[in-house]
Amino acid sequence: MTSAARPPISVTLPASVDLSSVRTLPIPRWTATTEKTQSNGSERVSKITWQANTPESGLKPTEYGVFAFSGGRWPAGTTSVTLPTEQRYANGTVFS
């Protein structure tokens, strides 16, 4: 199997969502990382990325995965948030 079997999956949190931390649902043989940016004098989570630890751990073409996270407090009055998601392959192909 090539690295294409384990492309990272990233979720971008919009600037309107000001979460200082998140928790990811553990996925066996995958690692989740977060990126933070400065916002209004404090840090906020701006992106969450999941990566399979080995090619064998990656999703096969006929499989799907559940990548979940929890964070709080969401902005007051928020009933839904669009979370742009992308999967980037080694050859540069990106699926959103």
Side-chain angles (χ1 to χ4, degrees):
M1 247 183 240
T2 66
S3 62
R6 52 181 229 114
I9 297 168
S10 298
V11 172
T12 301
L13 280 73
S16 63
V17 176
D18 200 15
L19 301 177
S20 60
S21 65
V22 296
R23 290 183 175 185
T24 57
L25 179 70
I27 302 171
R29 299 174 305 280
W30 284 69
T31 300
T33 58
T34 58
E35 293 179 29
K36 292 188 172 187
T37 58
Q38 290 293 320
S39 176
N40 299 323
S42 62
E43 284 190 329
R44 63 175 280 280
V45 177
S46 56
K47 184 179 276 192
I48 306 165
T49 301
W50 290 265
Q51 174 77 51
N53 296 333
T54 66
E56 295 76 24
S57 301
L59 299 174
K60 312 307 180 272
T62 58
E63 298 176 339
Y64 70 93
V66 176
F67 300 88
F69 73 93
S70 174
R73 243 175 207 223
W74 291 86
T78 301
T79 57
S80 67
V81 175
T82 300
L83 300 171
T85 304
E86 69 179 30
Q87 190 169 20
R88 184 175 300 274
Y89 287 85
N91 68 3
T93 304
V94 177
F95 290 95
S96 296

